[in-house]
Amino acid sequence: MDQRAKRVAIVGAGTSGLAVCKHLLARGFRPVVFEAGAAVGGLWTRTLASTRLQSPAAVYRFSDFPWPESTDAYPRSAQVAAYLAVYARRFGVLERVRFRSTVVSAEHVGDGGCEDAADGWDRWNGNGEAFGDGTGVWRLTVRHCHGEPEPEKTTTEVCEFDFLILCVGRFSGVPNVPAFPPGRGPEAFKGRVLHSMELSDMGHADAAALLKGKRVAVVGSGKSAFDIAADCADANGAERPCTMVCRNPQWLLHDTQIWGKLNIGYLYMNRFAELMVAKPGAGVISRLLATLLTPLGWLVSAVTGAYYRSAIPMREHGMEPGHGFASCVSSCLIAMLPDGFYDKVKQGSIVFRKLPTASPFTFSRDGLEFLDNSGESESTVKKIPADVVILATGYRGDQKLRDMFASPRLKAIVAGSPDAAVPLYRNCVHPRVPQMAVVGYAEGLNNIYVCEMMSKWVARLLDGAFRLPGVRRMEGSVAEWGRYYRRSGGGGEHFRRSCLGAVNVWYNDELCRDMGCDPRRKKGLLAEWFQPYGAVDYAGIQ
């Protein structure tokens, strides 16, 4: 049977789902994409109107699909969603998407299934090939919503596929909500408590109405928290300032140009920069060279951090990060400030309340409380009055991944343990889960760049261009990458489980070697070593 006649299911029509579908179509497959929403674009269809890209449009793009010339330098969410929709139409992806279709559960069935055979495998899926011997299938339970998602307007379908590709992402679906002592959680608060996901899912008018005229407290220190605080400041001004409640400030930048001249890509996103990193899977010489260049790496990080500290009044307002700039790159904890953010702080429209290191916050009837033990005298209870509390506390991407599966065994192994890296070979394939790939779970400084390369690798795997190595070898690679992720997370404090920020070129080199492509994509020695790498460099790989 021609491999291209195999049935392939893709779950999710966000950035990664669109890229995978496009590259499978180019190789003759006819995948089916299940999308729970009513449009392609994933998170970009459910964001605040003011949200902008973290990266300039010139680098945040698919390798073979440029932005329109009229696009902003840092496009807003509506522009990004439109770009993804046009991409889907241009490459025939829209025709393959089933909208308002939620995959409720996935179960692997058939001879040689992962429940019984995996532990005895020498090679993934029995022979290292995407479809194995053709006897196993994925049985998906899909709920289709017709019109509004009311019970009487839904139908359930059970269908089977030869390969399953999960493009469900990490930053949606299952909110990370802190635990509170009994009687001290949201139930004690007379106002409204919601997660940033709920705010993003609202219509723009409803979200604006919720914030208008309210005392809003935003809990968190990442990009979403800053965006929400900026919107609150625009809505209410200094009359009702937005309070940002955070513990560990992150690096949020006003610009990617150092001193207005040097793009940080030249410092962190090229081959020379990666010489200073102990890369997973590299040889002894590479590790020795990284050790010798450690002082240079420290100097680059110190100079870069010093520039942003001088250009952004973070220290003045107590928002200086406690970790170095290199750590934020290797942990993917780098983002862009909303326009004029610190101007709003100076105007009094935004105020910061920094929590002591070991002091959790709780709810009271009128807002938030925390124990301030920073003084020399006894600890005191500090209050933060609020009408609305928004928890910008992130997501539980690992739980979202587990929830896809019916099998308790797969739930237990697919995402690994919370204190270890997600056990995916090449950040795409679990060594003991057959006929399945995960695309877009690992993150980088530019996620569209990461997911497109993964998509090309997965498409070639399904087309039989290469075989996967033995299970033990893949597990060894997973373990080595896991050790790197933990080191790069600053000893665990900023552990993100799968961030390619400081080793993206090296990671792409591995994918290129698997696919039989030349990993050196630049013209000329100087360009190869010192120019930043991006999606366009890999446009020739289809």
Side-chain angles (χ1 to χ4, degrees):
M1 182 179 182
D2 185 355
Q3 296 213 123
R4 294 171 182 80
K6 294 286 190 177
R7 302 162 298 176
V8 181
I10 300 171
V11 181
T15 306
S16 53
L18 298 180
V20 172
C21 185
K22 181 261 188 185
H23 286 282
L24 287 175
L25 287 170
R27 290 186 167 268
F29 291 93
R30 304 293 290 171
V32 175
V33 184
F34 295 105
E35 168 54 44
V40 299
L43 283 177
W44 291 107
T45 64
R46 303 185 302 277
T47 61
L48 300 174
S50 60
T51 301
R52 289 184 181 272
L53 267 179
Q54 306 284 354
S55 307
V59 297
Y60 188 93
R61 51 162 290 184
F62 291 111
S63 61
D64 55 357
F65 194 69
W67 288 82
E69 292 184 2
S70 59
T71 303
D72 295 343
Y74 288 87
R76 292 187 181 273
S77 57
Q79 291 178 302
V80 181
Y83 171 77
L84 296 175
V86 174
Y87 175 86
R89 287 195 296 271
R90 166 66 178 80
F91 293 107
V93 174
L94 277 182
E95 302 167 10
R96 310 305 306 167
V97 182
R98 298 185 186 179
F99 293 107
R100 296 187 181 276
S101 299
T102 303
V103 177
V104 178
S105 69
E107 181 181 11
H108 190 270
V109 295
D111 293 340
C114 51
E115 290 297 325
D116 301 317
D119 288 337
W121 285 345
D122 291 322
R123 294 183 69 86
W124 186 76
N125 210 17
N127 57 13
E129 297 180 358
F131 300 102
D133 61 6
T135 57
V137 296
W138 282 97
R139 183 173 296 159
L140 306 185
T141 302
V142 185
R143 183 176 63 243
H144 304 286
C145 292
H146 309 283
E148 295 299 319
E150 299 174 2
E152 65 270 24
K153 295 182 179 179
T154 64
T155 57
T156 300
E157 174 189 15
V158 177
C159 41
E160 293 185 347
F161 292 89
D162 301 299
F163 201 94
L164 174 63
I165 305 175
L166 300 180
C167 301
V168 296
R170 295 174 59 184
F171 304 110
S172 65
V174 182
N176 178 42
V177 178
F180 299 96
R184 304 303 304 276
E187 72 280 0
F189 181 49
K190 69 179 181 181
R192 182 169 179 182
V193 181
L194 66 162
H195 190 270
S196 57
M197 180 181 76
E198 299 172 73
L199 186 69
S200 297
D201 284 343
M202 291 181 178
H204 296 325
D206 291 338
L210 174 67
L211 302 178
K212 184 67 175 177
K214 307 290 198 317
R215 296 174 301 173
V216 181
V218 182
V219 181
S221 59
K223 173 64 173 172
S224 294
F226 277 76
D227 283 344
I228 295 168
D231 279 6
C232 290
D234 290 337
N236 299 319
E239 182 180 351
R240 287 184 176 85
C242 177
T243 303
M244 282 193 67
V245 183
C246 60
R247 179 172 285 110
N248 299 310
Q250 307 298 333
W251 287 94
L252 272 85
L253 315 180
H254 68 303
D255 194 359
T256 57
Q257 301 293 121
I258 310 295
W259 297 289
K261 298 179 180 179
L262 181 64
N263 190 281
I264 60 172
Y266 284 89
L267 300 177
Y268 292 101
M269 298 181 68
N270 57 27
R271 288 193 183 280
F272 182 76
E274 292 192 7
L275 288 178
M276 300 176 242
V277 181
K279 299 177 286 293
V284 175
I285 295 177
S286 177
R287 293 196 297 271
L288 177 60
L289 188 58
T291 301
L292 293 174
L293 291 175
T294 295
L296 179 58
W298 179 90
L299 179 62
V300 170
S301 176
V303 170
T304 308
Y307 165 74
Y308 283 116
R309 287 186 182 95
S310 67
I312 304 170
M314 56 183 80
R315 181 177 298 172
E316 175 185 342
H317 298 286
M319 292 296 287
E320 183 179 9
H323 52 285
F325 196 82
S327 178
C328 88
V329 172
S330 59
S331 301
C332 293
L333 290 171
I334 184 172
M336 301 301 295
L337 283 166
D339 292 342
F341 182 85
Y342 276 98
D343 292 335
K344 297 178 176 65
V345 175
K346 291 176 181 178
Q347 294 162 4
S349 301
I350 298 172
V351 296
F352 298 113
R353 295 297 296 271
K354 193 172 177 183
L355 296 177
T357 303
S359 177
F361 72 92
T362 58
F363 284 87
S364 66
R365 178 174 172 77
D366 298 315
L368 301 177
E369 295 181 349
F370 64 94
L371 197 62
D372 185 0
N373 52 14
S374 58
E376 296 181 0
S377 60
E378 295 183 359
S379 300
T380 57
V381 176
K382 300 289 188 179
K383 298 180 180 294
I384 302 172
D387 302 310
V388 176
V389 175
I390 301 174
L391 303 174
T393 48
Y395 295 87
R396 297 181 59 196
D398 55 344
Q399 188 60 47
K400 185 178 181 181
L401 198 56
R402 292 186 181 96
D403 288 346
M404 292 296 306
F405 301 97
S407 161
R409 180 178 182 273
L410 292 191
K411 287 179 181 288
I413 69 171
V414 69
S417 62
D419 60 349
V422 178
L424 299 175
Y425 177 70
R426 298 293 193 251
N427 287 285
C428 291
V429 169
H430 194 291
R432 295 187 181 274
V433 182
Q435 294 161 255
M436 186 194 80
V438 180
V439 176
Y441 193 89
E443 60 182 319
L445 300 180
N446 182 336
N447 285 336
I448 201 169
Y449 167 43
V450 172
C451 75
E452 189 182 30
M453 281 300 292
M454 290 179 173
S455 299
K456 295 177 179 183
W457 185 87
V458 169
R460 290 199 177 208
L461 172 65
L462 267 64
D463 202 22
F466 63 93
R467 289 188 178 191
L468 294 177
V471 170
R472 300 297 182 190
R473 180 177 164 190
M474 287 196 290
E475 289 179 334
S477 175
V478 167
E480 189 162 3
W481 275 86
R483 289 189 290 272
Y484 163 75
Y485 288 139
R486 182 156 291 284
R487 287 196 311 270
S488 65
E493 182 182 356
H494 307 294
F495 181 43
R496 298 275 283 189
R497 304 196 70 195
S498 51
C499 169
L500 300 167
V503 291
N504 217 146
V505 179
W506 173 252
Y507 171 71
N508 286 344
D509 286 352
E510 291 194 325
L511 299 187
C512 285
R513 285 190 284 268
D514 290 344
M515 294 186 287
C517 303
D518 185 357
R520 304 300 175 103
R521 313 300 301 178
K522 300 283 191 182
K523 294 182 179 179
L525 186 63
L526 289 177
E528 182 63 50
W529 282 98
F530 296 101
Q531 281 187 1
Y533 257 84
V536 176
D537 294 303
Y538 300 93
I541 301 175
Q542 296 296 331

